[in-house]
Amino acid sequence: DSGVTQTPKHLITATGQRVTLRCSPRSGDLSVYWYQQSLDQGLQFLIHYYNGEERAKGNILERFSAQQFPDLHSELNLSSLELGDSALYFCASSAQGTSIVHEQFFGPGTRLTVL
Amino acid sequence: ILNVEQSPQSLHVQEGDSTNFTCSFPSSNFYALHWYRWETAKSPEALFVMTLNGDEKKKGRISATLNTKEGYSYLYIKGSQPEDSATYLCALPPNDYKLSFGAGTTVTVRA
């Protein structure tokens, strides 16, 4: 158990809908990262928050947004869902704001299925 | 986006045999290299973070080396066991705030 929690574990929804994925980092970790793993794709970085502020963006679609709250939990909002958004979404946390030397601790993931 | 390549894509190993595989990356502007193990139905778990040319890290039967000048890292598994079956990911930070992951090497250890 990494100490990172994600809810829900599974989510099934329809095209055009909006969903919110939630992540709670390890106690004391200030950084939260979101990743997407689609079929036949590696882990794709979406976005990084550090202590409530956005630090880096990857190939995140405009239909997706995220935020990190004062209690450090983070939410990833996915709207106008398309079939291609079906994927495993991971949240990871680390103690510091830099990715260089600090390992990331991954949550169990949320499996999103868009029908 | 940093181009991180891992080879081979998959490999099968007999229990008790040793194996190794490669992560290749652009040698310019190197900051660090991360190795993660990802078992089926679980989430990725950090193995090593390596920063210095010539670095060698070891955790049990798994070890890794790093050559930043030529842009590669090897991960070795000695005396493979069925519990070593997993996908091994390497990742590098193109800047301070994110990681670029390779596609992984999937190792299957046959009993």
Side-chain angles (χ1 to χ4, degrees), chain A residues 88-106:
Chain A
L88 188 54
Y89 291 85
F90 282 109
C91 157
S93 75
S94 71
Q96 301 295 324
T98 174
S99 294
I100 290 179
V101 295
H102 296 283
E103 62 190 287
Q104 295 183 11
F105 295 86
F106 282 77

Side-chain angles (χ1 to χ4, degrees), chain A residues 48 97-100 103-104 107, chain B residues 32 34 36 43 46 96-98:
Chain A
H48 169 204
T98 174
S99 294
I100 290 179
E103 62 190 287
Q104 295 183 11
Chain B
H34 297 219
Y36 289 82
S43 47
D96 272 356
Y97 306 119
K98 58 185 175 184

Side-chain angles (χ1 to χ4, degrees), chain B residues 2-34:
Chain B
L2 202 60
N3 190 23
V4 180
E5 294 188 359
Q6 292 189 247
S7 62
Q9 188 175 356
S10 64
L11 59 91
H12 291 79
V13 190
Q14 200 65 33
E15 183 176 357
D17 287 352
S18 296
T19 188
N20 66 84
F21 38 93
T22 310
C23 173
S24 301
F25 53 88
S27 55
S28 58
N29 295 323
F30 176 84
Y31 294 108
L33 183 143
H34 297 219

Side-chain angles (χ1 to χ4, degrees), chain B residues 47-78:
Chain B
L47 286 172
F48 309 114
V49 179
M50 309 176 79
T51 57
L52 299 174
N53 185 42
D55 238 357
E56 287 191 32
K57 300 267 185 175
K58 188 174 180 183
K59 185 183 267 191
R61 293 177 292 96
I62 299 177
S63 60
T65 61
L66 176 66
N67 184 324
T68 61
K69 295 187 189 307
E70 296 186 31
Y72 65 84
S73 174
Y74 291 137
L75 193 84
Y76 299 88
I77 305 176
K78 185 178 177 182

Side-chain angles (χ1 to χ4, degrees), chain B residues 1-2 16 19 31-32 35 39 41 44-45 60 71 74 82 85-86 88-89 96 99 103 105 109 111:
Chain B
I1 301 289
L2 202 60
T19 188
Y31 294 108
W35 280 104
E39 295 178 64
E45 178 187 356
Y74 291 137
S85 295
Y88 292 82
L89 301 170
D96 272 356
L99 285 178
T105 293
V109 181

